[in-house]
Amino acid sequence: MGKTIIETLAEFSSETPFSELPDFVVEESKRVLLDSVGCAVGGVTSPKGRMGVDYGRILGASSGEATIIGTSHRSSAVGAGFANGELINALDFDAVLPPGHVSPYVIPGLLAVAEGRHSSGREIITAVAIAHELSFRFSKSMDYHRDIKNGEFRVPAVLGCTSTVFGATAAIGRIKGLSSDVVADALGIAGSISPVNSQRSWLEHTPLSTIKYTMAGPVVQTAITAAYAAELGHRGDREILDDAEYGYPRFIGTTRWEAENLTDELGVDWRFPAANSYKPYPHCRNMHAPFDALTSVIEENDIKPEEITAIRAWGEAWIKLPLFLNNNIGHVLDGQMSIAHGLAVAAQRIPPGPAWQDPKVAFSPAVLDLMKRVTFDGHPDYVSAISQDPAARPSRVEVDTRGATFVAERHYPKGSRSSDPASYMTTQELVDKFLVNAEGILPNPQAKEAVQAILELENADDIRPVMRLLAASEQ
């Protein structure tokens, strides 16, 4: 019998050396790491972030080996991994990579384990690259939000980001120096104990559950459990990905299983960098192209929010679902997903960052009143555009003010790699975003030093000093 899919993934994860990573993979791995830990720092003040920190502290003693980012607290690898997963995704400001969000699920575990092992920057970069590559390849094998068939899009009955558990487990196995044989068992275990894909239910129900997609923290815990269990001698199901009838595809609920995408040119053709998108706004990525259009109209015409009589927007057609159409904002997380609320906040001319989710902004009369004058519909060119180019997000915004209507359109949202160079988010823009997230949490000189350390991570012999730069002073 030849290698199973699990064994092929394990060999890639354990045996790919840093020296064989293309420069663009190294660069993108550092960029997504910088963005993710910056989002974690910014998430410290959010309700979801605070709950993650509190539970992370429960999971480990204060003298633990791993840093809870943006705080003075330390915990066990499991505790810090849980907390940092929740922090990265708390503001919904983190990078987007199919199957949706990847970084909150795959980065926290590898960082927490690496800190205890004094791992080098090169090992961190390699693990980050492996985790994102595997996660993206799983997304291309399964159902996805924007599946299009016969010229129409459909939202599958089961969706979620929990397939990232494989990338997360592989990365931890790599950090721990486990052999490909042990990593194969770890991946088999991870698939068997993976949380369910619960996102579809979350999309349909309001008031909005704050678990968000599937909570990042428990997926991080699952990956850590799988890696340690295999190291301790547990045997994993190595055929779990080959068996479409009874294995992982069946019990995770996907109706599409194109397993060839998992191994095709694995280690030769690195695919995640071209698909990774960054967020200039702390809001669901679905609305970023309309935000870009609205911002240009308001800034170019110096429009004050109180002058606006109506905002009409057209964008992603698939998001006409309850949580996106929700105008009952009872929690700041409701605002992260609400179309009307997001446009109303964007119209206030507040620089994007944690301030967008400050309760004083989220529940302000100015925002809540403007929401009532916002409408949204799917863009008529949506399906045809993304059928030709997966990065396309045709959007249009019309703003009524001063007795006139101002219009702007976008084809690609800022933060994506596309045929339009202006849509690319530069490393300097990611640095600026990090510094905005760090305001009031880390002293500016410390934040700048952390940025430099991450951008030069391949030169670090030990990740611990870098993690110390991401820790706040005593609180």
Side-chain angles (χ1 to χ4, degrees):
M1 180 179 175
K3 291 178 184 175
T4 65
I5 295 173
I6 284 280
E7 289 166 343
T8 300
L9 301 183
E11 186 175 281
F12 162 74
S13 303
S14 298
E15 300 178 11
T16 298
F18 174 84
S19 61
E20 291 187 6
L21 297 182
D23 290 345
F24 73 92
V25 173
V26 172
E27 183 67 17
E28 190 62 19
S29 298
K30 292 189 294 183
R31 279 162 50 89
V32 76
L33 179 61
L34 174 68
D35 187 68
S36 299
V37 296
C39 290
V41 173
V44 165
T45 60
S46 73
K48 184 172 172 64
R50 287 195 299 270
M51 288 185 285
V53 170
D54 290 344
Y55 189 60
R57 294 180 67 191
I58 290 171
L59 291 171
S62 59
S63 59
E65 62 190 11
T67 301
I68 297 180
I69 295 172
T71 77
S72 61
H73 307 307
R74 299 182 64 75
S75 187
S76 63
V78 175
F82 183 99
N84 292 335
E86 293 296 288
L87 285 169
I88 290 173
N89 188 237
L91 296 173
D92 217 80
F93 211 5
D94 51 295
V96 173
L97 176 71
H101 290 263
V102 170
S103 300
Y105 300 95
V106 304
I107 286 178
L110 73 88
L111 280 184
V113 173
E115 192 171 358
R117 295 177 61 84
H118 298 252
S119 298
S120 72
R122 291 189 171 201
E123 279 300 291
I124 300 294
I125 292 169
T126 306
V128 169
I130 288 167
H132 283 76
E133 183 67 16
L134 290 188
S135 297
F136 178 66
R137 284 172 173 267
F138 267 91
S139 79
K140 290 302 175 182
S141 303
M142 303 168 65
D143 289 334
Y144 184 50
H145 302 78
R146 299 175 180 86
D147 279 349
I148 296 176
K149 188 174 182 179
N150 299 324
E152 295 183 359
F153 71 89
R154 68 182 185 101
V155 182
V158 181
L159 282 174
C161 303
T162 59
S163 61
T164 56
V165 74
F166 292 99
T169 301
I172 294 167
R174 176 55 183 257
I175 291 295
K176 290 175 69 62
L178 303 180
S179 68
S180 60
D181 200 48
V182 176
V183 172
D185 284 324
L187 293 175
I189 294 166
S192 298
I193 63 175
S194 169
V196 299
N197 263 345
S198 59
Q199 184 174 352
R200 190 67 170 90
S201 172
W202 181 73
L203 291 169
E204 294 288 346
H205 301 150
T206 55
L208 189 60
S209 164
T210 56
I211 62 134
K212 206 174 180 188
Y213 317 125
T214 295
M215 287 176 70
V219 177
V220 176
Q221 289 178 310
T222 300
I224 294 174
T225 297
Y228 276 89
E231 186 180 30
L232 293 170
H234 272 286
R235 178 187 294 172
D237 182 353
R238 298 192 183 191
E239 296 181 49
I240 199 170
L241 299 180
D242 298 273
D243 185 352
E245 184 174 2
Y246 297 111
Y248 181 78
R250 172 59 63 90
F251 60 71
I252 206 65
T254 183
T255 60
R256 179 167 63 89
W257 185 241
E258 298 173 3
E260 64 273 14
N261 292 327
L262 293 173
T263 56
D264 177 45
E265 294 191 284
L266 183 63
V268 177
D269 183 11
W270 289 83
R271 298 171 180 174
F272 85 89
N276 207 33
S277 297
Y278 294 92
K279 288 187 170 188
Y281 309 99
H283 194 283
C284 183
R285 180 66 170 167
N286 297 325
M287 287 304 298
H288 282 216
F291 289 163
D292 290 339
L294 176 64
T295 299
S296 69
V297 164
I298 288 175
E299 292 183 352
E300 290 170 10
N301 299 282
D302 194 23
I303 298 171
K304 297 178 176 58
E306 60 270 21
E307 296 178 304
I308 299 173
T309 55
I311 297 174
R312 292 177 295 279
W314 292 262
E316 291 210 44
W318 82 271
I319 64 172
K320 296 180 71 174
L321 294 165
L323 84 165
F324 300 120
L325 302 177
N326 176 37
N327 290 342
N328 183 15
I329 309 301
H331 190 285
V332 293
L333 198 140
D334 294 322
Q336 290 179 9
M337 303 297 152
S338 168
I339 293 170
H341 189 271
L343 287 165
V345 172
Q348 304 303 312
R349 304 181 71 168
I350 298 169
W356 270 35
Q357 293 175 34
D358 185 324
K360 294 178 182 177
V361 172
F363 304 120
S364 68
V367 168
L368 299 181
D369 181 61
L370 183 54
M371 281 179 64
K372 301 172 185 176
R373 302 192 297 277
V374 174
T375 60
F376 176 85
D377 206 345
H379 195 285
D381 298 335
Y382 174 70
V383 172
S384 60
I386 67 169
S387 296
Q388 297 174 41
D389 182 355
R393 299 291 184 270
S395 300
R396 176 184 175 92
V397 167
E398 298 177 352
V399 179
D400 291 347
T401 182
R402 304 169 187 163
T405 298
F406 296 84
V407 180
E409 297 186 278
R410 290 293 185 274
H411 196 70
Y412 301 103
K414 178 71 174 178
S416 298
R417 292 181 186 267
S418 74
S419 57
D420 180 2
S423 73
Y424 179 73
M425 201 158 177
T426 67
T427 298
Q428 184 57 54
E429 288 172 322
L430 292 178
V431 169
D432 294 341
K433 175 182 170 181
F434 180 99
L435 296 177
V436 168
N437 275 320
E439 286 179 9
I441 307 296
L442 304 179
N444 188 256
Q446 179 181 332
K448 290 182 176 180
E449 189 177 354
V451 166
Q452 196 65 26
I454 294 171
L455 294 180
E456 299 175 355
L457 192 58
E458 64 268 37
N459 300 322
D461 295 326
D462 184 350
I463 192 62
R464 288 173 68 89
V466 180
M467 296 303 296
R468 293 291 186 272
L469 292 171
L470 297 172
S473 56
E474 290 294 330
Q475 298 170 338

